[in-house]
Amino acid sequence: MKAKNEKFLQELLETPSPTGYEVPVADKVRERLSPVADEIRTDTMGSVHALLKGKGNGPSLMLAAHMDEIGLMVTYISDEGFLSVAPIGGVDAAILPGLRVDVHTESGALRGVVGRKPIHLIKADDRKTVTPIDQLVIDLGLPAKEVQKLVRIGDPITFGVGYERFGKDMAVSRAFDDKVGVWIAVQVLEKLAKKGRALGDFIAAATVQEEIGTRGATTSAYGVNPNVAIAFDVTHATDYPGIEKTKYGKFVCGEGPVIARGPNINPVVFERLVSAAEKENILYQIEAEPSITGTDARAIQVARSGIPCGLVSVPLRYMHTPTEVVCLNDLEATVSLLVRFAMDLTEDVCFVPGMTCTQTNTDKE
C-alpha cells in the first residue's frame, strides 16, 4: 500500500465518527475527493455523495460504505465529576473496564478511563460477571467543576486507540468497521478517474447511521437512485480459535474479498462480481446470506421500486472491539475488484432476475 493511501486510511480510522456524529469524517472525504469528483453533495442526514460522471450511457453505480463507528454517549455527570454512559451501536460491555477513551466535547477531546474496582475489592462471585454499561463510569481525572463545565449530556465517546501495523501485512485499529469501506470507495473513485472513467456515472456514497439501522443508506439510495449499487462492509473472519465454521462459514484474512450471495443480493450483480474477480485473478471468498444482511445492502435493495444490489466485504477479526484486525492486501484486492466491476458495466446489462434484455435500467421513477 502506498504511503499516502495508508496515511489517509489512518486519518479516517483515527477521526472520531460515532453514529450521529459523523461530520469530522465527512469533512475528510469531501477534502480528499474535491479535486477529483465532478460533484460532491451532502444530504440532510449527513451522508456524502461524490459523483464521477460516466463517459457514455452505461448504468449508474453507487458504492456505499458507512462512516459511523460504535461508541458511547454521556448520559449523566455526577457531583464528583464521573460520567455515566450509554452505548451507541453494538458495544460489548465486557471489553470496557480498564479501557482508555476519548470524550469529544465542544472544546476538544478529553482523555478518560473506564473505571473498575481492583480485583482485591471485588467479591469472588462478582468477579465472574460482566458489569453492565449503565453501571460503569468514566474518570476524566479532572475536578468535578471542570468536568461539569467542559462536558455536556450527549457528548460522544470513542475508544482511545488508533491504527497500527503488526505481523505480516496485518493492521489493527478501532473502526475498521466500516471506515475501511469509506477508504475503498474513495480509492475506487480515484482509480476510475485515472482509468478514463466507466461508461456510467459512479457515486461514492459515505453513509451515516448504519450501526443503528442502515438509516443513511435508506436516504442515500432514495436520493441517488442509482441503476445498480454495491454495499461494502466488513464481515466476520473465522480464521481464529473458537469460531464455528460449520455455522458461520470459512473466511480468512489475506484470502481476498468476500462476495455475498443470497436473497438480499441481486443474482446478476453477484455473478458479475465473481466474473470481475476472476478476470483480475483476485482471490475471493463467497458468503452465504440466507436472509437480509446487517449492512447498507438491506436498505438499498428495497429503495424506491428496488435497486439491484451486491455486497462485498473484507474479513475482519474481533469486530466491534478496540482491536479490529484486517489484512491490508484484502483492501487493495477489493479496490481492484470493484474498479473492474464498474468498468465492465455496459449499457445493455440487465439486472432483472431470470430475464434477458437489451434495454438499460434507466427508466426509474
Side-chain angles (χ1 to χ4, degrees):
M1 183 179 293
K2 292 182 179 179
K4 69 173 185 177
N5 292 334
E6 186 171 7
K7 180 182 178 182
F8 180 59
L9 175 61
Q10 182 171 357
E11 287 178 359
L12 289 176
L13 292 165
E14 295 180 355
T15 299
S17 62
T19 304
Y21 301 85
E22 298 95 344
V23 169
V25 166
D27 288 340
K28 294 282 185 185
V29 174
R30 287 187 288 261
E31 179 183 4
R32 173 76 178 223
L33 288 180
S34 60
V36 186
D38 295 306
E39 179 180 283
I40 300 178
R41 293 185 178 182
T42 306
D43 67 16
T44 54
M45 288 285 288
S47 299
V48 178
H49 308 142
L51 167 68
L52 185 71
K53 293 181 180 178
K55 63 181 179 181
N57 295 316
S60 59
L61 168 64
M62 181 177 76
L63 174 58
H66 68 90
M67 295 184 286
D68 57 318
E69 60 180 299
I70 62 168
L72 301 167
M73 177 184 287
V74 177
T75 59
Y76 175 75
I77 305 169
S78 75
D79 292 341
E80 298 80 18
F82 293 91
L83 310 180
S84 295
V85 297
I88 301 176
V91 179
D92 182 357
I95 68 173
L96 294 177
L99 187 68
R100 300 179 190 186
V101 296
D102 291 316
V103 181
H104 300 283
T105 73
E106 189 175 2
S107 56
L110 299 174
R111 175 51 57 96
V113 297
V114 182
R116 179 173 170 81
K117 288 188 293 185
I119 191 170
H120 319 71
L121 305 182
I122 303 175
K123 295 178 181 179
D125 289 344
D126 292 341
R127 296 174 190 174
K128 302 175 184 178
T129 62
V130 175
T131 305
I133 291 177
D134 62 6
Q135 293 181 26
L136 296 171
V137 294
I138 292 178
D139 181 353
L140 296 178
L142 295 171
K145 287 185 178 180
E146 191 168 353
V147 173
Q148 292 163 356
K149 178 181 178 182
L150 295 172
V151 180
R152 292 195 300 171
I153 302 300
D155 280 345
I157 302 166
T158 55
F159 302 145
V161 294
Y163 173 86
E164 183 180 359
R165 279 205 188 206
F166 80 114
K168 181 176 173 57
D169 301 320
M170 306 296 281
V172 58
S173 179
R174 77 168 204 267
F176 272 127
D177 177 12
D178 182 34
K179 284 187 252 189
V180 65
V182 177
W183 181 87
I184 285 171
V186 167
Q187 291 288 308
V188 171
L189 188 146
E190 292 177 338
K191 288 188 180 296
L192 285 173
K194 289 181 180 178
K195 283 181 171 288
R197 302 170 182 248
L199 287 175
D201 292 349
F202 175 79
I203 304 94
T207 63
V208 299
Q209 299 191 27
E210 189 270 353
E211 296 291 357
I212 60 170
T214 66
R215 290 160 54 80
T218 300
T219 55
S220 289
Y222 187 93
V224 174
N225 194 22
N227 299 132
V228 59
I230 303 293
F232 180 90
D233 215 315
V234 294
T235 193
H236 298 288
T238 59
D239 57 355
Y240 59 96
I243 307 296
E244 298 178 57
K245 294 181 178 61
T246 56
K247 183 175 183 179
Y248 299 108
K250 181 182 178 182
F251 305 108
V252 180
C253 289
E255 293 193 2
V258 178
I259 303 172
R261 187 181 187 193
N264 195 176
I265 309 304
N266 179 275
V268 179
V269 175
F270 167 77
E271 295 295 350
R272 293 181 74 92
L273 284 167
V274 169
S275 176
E278 292 177 348
K279 288 176 183 176
E280 292 294 311
N281 295 313
I282 295 169
L283 283 176
Y284 66 92
Q285 306 172 72
I286 295 177
E287 181 171 22
E289 291 284 4
S291 183
I292 55 174
T293 65
T295 71
D296 281 349
R298 68 189 296 173
I300 295 169
Q301 182 194 38
V302 293
R304 291 186 179 252
S305 58
I307 295 173
C309 188
L311 172 61
V312 178
S313 310
V314 293
L316 175 83
R317 295 177 187 164
Y318 325 125
M319 192 181 297
H320 282 207
T321 75
T323 52
E324 295 182 336
V325 168
V326 299
C327 177
L328 294 176
N329 294 338
D330 289 339
L331 312 190
E332 296 187 296
T334 302
V335 172
S336 298
L337 165 65
L338 294 172
V339 168
R340 182 60 188 258
F341 177 87
M343 294 297 288
D344 283 353
L345 289 175
T346 56
E347 58 183 304
D348 61 346
V349 62
C350 178
F351 295 106
V352 180
M355 299 289 289
T356 300
C357 47
T358 56
Q359 74 270 26
T360 61
N361 281 0
T362 54
D363 54 339
K364 308 282 283 188
E365 293 179 5

